[in-house]
Amino acid sequence: MAGKKKKKRKMKSGHAFWITLFLTIAVGCAVMFGSWAVVGMDDKAKGVTTENQIHQETNLQEETVLAKETEQKETEPGTETVEGQQAETEDWTDIGEVFSAEDKVYLKDAASPEEVSIVFAGDILFDDNYAIMARMKQRGNGIEGSISQDMLQVMRGADIFMVNNEFPYSDRGEPTPDKAFTFRGRPEYASYLLDMGADIVSLANNHASDYGTISLTDTIDVLNGIDMPFVGAGRNLEEAVKPVYFVVNGMKIAILSATQIERMENPSTKGATENSPGVFRCLNVDRLLEEIRKAKQISDFVIVYIHWGTESTDELDWAQKEQAPKIAEAGANLIIGDHPHVLQPIGYCGEVPVIYSLGNYLFNSRAQDTCLVRAVLDKNGLKSLQFIPGRQEDCSVSMHYGGEKERVLSYMREISAGVNIDGDGYISKQSQ
């Protein structure tokens, strides 16, 4: 054998012939097999695949697939944050050239390769001291016991579902002095957002820091802890004004959020500053318009989710009428409003649809009409916009059908000048 020295020994003369013959044959076979081996090695170098190679390559392929499947199982499905970091995606070359490392960018898969569905809901509240949580605990089935399955199907089925988080997640701080209603939910209640199918929440509202600045910063930590994107508030102004970008089917969708409530010089819900936490305030709308223009430069579609209006009325107020056209002109493709706690008109600023108020969603014990709004985008922009009527009653939410559905749609037609709403809730601008 190669690598080992053979021991020499004397042989008897009577066996010399046969031994010589045997050695000759053995040497000849060795040379022949050696030539074959060299040829085989040369063939392999030239790309000729042997049966052993096939087995090895098949095993390698199987190991690679298994590793990818394991990685996919270990990675939570849904939204993947890249925030400027390189990701293994066909779109990343383009994305990396558009966004910076400071931008909040999320890659997301869509149910359809041609469309992106985005669903919006209004105010939610998970405070133990108010009726919604009391009834939820009494029923003992969490979100499943408080939102009907058909509504959940729309929410969870959306590629992006957004809701207004009208309270902080914290067990610290003190209630804001002299404020009529102060809310907060336990940090663990943030998991209800995942149960609802939420992909992003707005913190731009007048209850975001009801238990002091610490309750807002706790909320930011809690949402970051469950990988829940948020807009409209931050540890400083730079974070508060920053949009969230979703990249879906190659489309870049920007979502911004701001609040003009409370309308006073020294509001109890503080606006963020360069060095202090707070919400993105837009009573002076100039900074919001600036951020919309910046987002428009690097986005295919811009959504502004804004906390505005007067509570408990379907009449638009002066600030809504004044700001909506400016927001549309700055580059918003869709404007979604909340805060009034009731439904308000649907309108258009040029070609830009405005849902002035989504109303309450899962917020209090009041029996009132509510809605989901579903936008479907394709490569050409907004493909469809649908108003889906619902009902908040007995601290739960359900979908309207039949006569009740038509009643709400008729009401929305009555208060929404210049807008068509068909029997399925699809919205369009009336032709001039």
Side-chain angles (χ1 to χ4, degrees), residues 68 125 144 172 228 250 264 285 369 386 398:
K68 288 183 177 180
L125 177 62
E144 298 282 342
R172 302 192 293 173
M228 179 61 63
M264 57 188 72
V285 76
D369 295 318
Q386 184 183 20
S398 60

Side-chain angles (χ1 to χ4, degrees), residues 70-110:
T70 302
E71 181 179 356
Q72 290 173 353
K73 289 178 182 178
E74 291 177 350
T75 302
E76 185 162 338
T79 304
E80 179 188 356
T81 311
V82 296
E83 295 192 358
Q85 302 300 314
Q86 187 166 357
E88 293 181 1
T89 170
E90 294 178 0
D91 296 327
W92 178 249
T93 301
D94 183 40
I95 294 169
E97 294 174 353
V98 172
F99 299 111
S100 71
E102 290 75 31
D103 289 327
K104 296 189 289 187
V105 185
Y106 296 81
L107 307 181
K108 211 167 188 313
D109 294 329

